[in-house]
């Protein structure tokens, strides 16, 4: 189970503290980040050496070499050139960035313009992705993309744990026979996958509904921009966002061990978020939800 009831602030003795970070540890993974709608969103999972979105770049996040962008709204990408430039300034390897394919050329142009204005080379690897694409992260981990439903091209991401397991039919065989089979070219193993982390970026519920691994990942990081009862849901969905009622309606579908709800609208005070979610989330779901605020 998680090692925190609510996400915690890490120690404040670091030399540069330029952006807020909350942190939570679960199932061998640490989720660090911050997300408020129209302000800034950034997440990272140090154990996987990846981050999602760069609405700002906390100085401490510099060492993370691979970032996946959900979409190009400013609160999710404003610090992309900042991060690329800082990596070079600190003599680190050029980072690898993934983003929706439709945006790659414009982001390349943006980096060139910043290169002219800042007089520093912007060195990075930009990769475009489409829904259904797969990225090999390591031998144990792969990332798949899914279409989210927002107002501009947008993607969600699922990180998978993958293991090679011996096929059923060979389970009883002694080791040397399995080895001989393998050496003779017989595929004795099959890949078994388990969704570890799902990240939705900004999306109306339709984006989550269309990709079942979102509900099965051990850790789900989702936006929950709106929570007040009087908000009109059709309007919220039209603008590509989630309302608390969407979460409550799907309570039975979430198999996740940990559900991080973030990207709350700036109109809400943290106390209001806690109060409304405490009263609306049904038991069984409330214990698994972390309010990232
Ligand atoms: Zn946003
Ligand atoms: Zn957005």
């Amino acid at each position: 189970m998680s090692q925190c009831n609510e996400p915690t602030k890490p120690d404040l003795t670091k030399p540069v503290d330029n952006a807020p970070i909350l942190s939570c540890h679960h199932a061998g993974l640490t989720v660090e980040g911050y997300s408020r709608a129209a302000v800034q969103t950034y997440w990272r999972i140090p154990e996987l050496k990846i981050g999602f979105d760069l609405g700002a770049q906390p100085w401490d996040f510099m060492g993370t070499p691979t970032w996946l962008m959900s979409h190009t709204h400013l609160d999710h990408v404003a610090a992309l050139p900042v991060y690329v430039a800082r990596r070079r300034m600190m003599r680190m390897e050029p980072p690898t960035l993934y983003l929706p394919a439709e945006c790659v050329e414009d982001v390349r142009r943006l980096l060139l313009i910043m290169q002219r204005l800042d007089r520093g080379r912007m060195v990075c690897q930009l990769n475009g992705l489409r829904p259904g694409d797969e990225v090999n992260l390591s031998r144990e981990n792969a990332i798949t993309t899914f279409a989210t439903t927002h107002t501009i091209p947008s993607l969600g991401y699922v990180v998978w744990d993958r293991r090679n397991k011996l096929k059923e039919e060979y389970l009883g065989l002694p080791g040397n026979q399995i080895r001989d089979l393998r050496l003779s070219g017989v595929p004795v193993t099959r890949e078994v996958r388990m969704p570890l982390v799902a990240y939705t970026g900004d999306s109306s519920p339709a984006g989550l509904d269309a990709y079942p691994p979102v509900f099965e990942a051990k850790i789900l990081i989702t936006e929950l921009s709106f929570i007040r009862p009087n908000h009109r849901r059709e309007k919220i969905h039209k603008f590509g966002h989630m309302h608390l009622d969407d979460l409550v309606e799907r309570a039975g579908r979430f198999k996740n061990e940990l559900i991080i709800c973030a990207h709350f609208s700036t109109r809400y005070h943290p106390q209001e978020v806690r109060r409304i979610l405490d009263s609306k989330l049904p038991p069984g779901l409330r214990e698994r939800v972390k309010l990232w605020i």
Side-chain angles (χ1 to χ4, degrees):
M1 271 288 110
S2 309
Q3 293 177 7
C4 58
N5 293 323
E6 291 300 340
T8 53
K9 290 193 171 97
D11 88 280
L12 297 171
T13 55
K14 41 194 181 182
V16 178
D17 185 17
N18 65 318
I21 304 168
L22 297 174
S23 171
C24 183
H25 194 74
H26 180 81
L29 296 174
T30 312
V31 180
E32 299 177 325
Y34 179 80
S35 173
R36 279 309 283 260
V39 183
Q40 53 202 26
T41 289
Y42 41 84
W43 302 95
R44 75 161 178 178
I45 300 164
E47 293 85 357
L48 298 172
K49 300 187 173 69
I50 58 166
F52 300 109
D53 288 343
L54 281 164
Q57 185 240 308
W59 191 256
D60 276 9
F61 282 17
M62 188 110 62
T64 299
T66 302
W67 288 80
L68 303 116
M69 306 295 139
S70 63
H71 64 301
T72 51
H73 275 151
L74 268 177
D75 54 326
H76 297 255
V77 295
L80 193 149
V82 174
Y83 162 75
V84 172
R86 284 178 185 163
R87 288 273 302 190
R88 183 174 162 274
M89 187 178 81
M90 302 302 282
R91 300 180 193 284
M92 292 172 146
E93 284 291 300
T96 304
L97 303 163
Y98 295 93
L99 61 163
E102 296 90 332
C103 322
V104 171
E105 278 320 304
D106 281 338
V107 169
R108 205 185 301 282
R109 263 181 231 129
L110 169 76
L111 290 175
L112 281 172
I113 290 168
M114 283 315 303
Q115 183 165 304
R116 274 212 301 273
L117 293 169
D118 187 54
R119 305 274 167 95
R121 286 208 311 130
M122 293 278 177
V123 197
C124 65
Q125 212 198 84
L126 285 181
N127 303 290
L129 293 173
R130 296 189 186 278
D133 279 353
E134 181 163 327
V135 175
N136 265 322
L137 200 56
S138 64
R139 211 162 59 91
E140 296 85 21
N141 298 116
I143 297 178
T144 55
T145 60
F146 63 99
T148 48
T149 41
H150 201 42
T151 52
I152 58 172
S154 60
L155 287 175
Y157 298 97
V158 171
V159 185
W160 299 82
D161 176 83
R162 50 180 181 185
R163 300 273 156 91
N164 282 319
K165 291 253 163 77
L166 199 61
K167 286 183 179 171
E168 299 265 316
E169 59 260 46
Y170 304 122
L171 278 179
L173 282 190
N176 57 343
Q177 280 188 40
I178 290 169
R179 190 200 55 213
D180 290 349
L181 276 168
R182 193 169 45 223
L183 290 175
S184 72
V186 176
V188 291
T189 58
R190 64 186 174 92
E191 192 185 277
V192 179
R193 287 189 172 203
M194 193 180 53
L196 287 181
V197 181
Y199 176 59
T200 69
D202 289 2
S203 182
S204 76
L208 283 67
D209 289 344
Y211 197 62
V214 165
F215 296 92
E216 290 146 21
K218 274 192 183 176
I219 301 174
L220 166 63
I221 306 171
T222 181
E223 74 130 286
L224 188 59
S225 300
F226 298 97
I227 59 170
R228 277 185 200 152
N230 52 356
H231 290 319
R232 282 186 38 225
R233 263 207 286 172
E234 320 82 75
K235 214 169 140 194
I236 290 168
H237 293 171
K238 196 171 138 234
F239 288 105
H241 289 296
M242 295 266 294
H243 185 277
L244 174 58
D245 292 345
D246 300 317
L247 200 77
V248 172
E249 273 172 12
R250 287 162 183 75
R253 289 190 63 190
F254 293 103
K255 303 289 174 253
N256 322 83
E257 294 173 9
L258 173 67
I259 303 164
I260 292 173
C261 294
H263 200 268
F264 296 104
S265 160
T266 51
R267 67 191 82 186
Y268 310 132
H269 188 279
Q271 278 168 8
E272 181 180 5
V273 174
R274 283 188 200 104
R275 184 173 47 78
I276 294 186
L277 269 82
D278 279 343
S279 74
K280 285 281 181 66
L281 286 175
L285 190 59
R286 179 65 192 93
E287 309 83 77
R288 290 179 287 146
V289 168
K290 300 280 176 260
L291 308 181
W292 213 263
I293 193 156

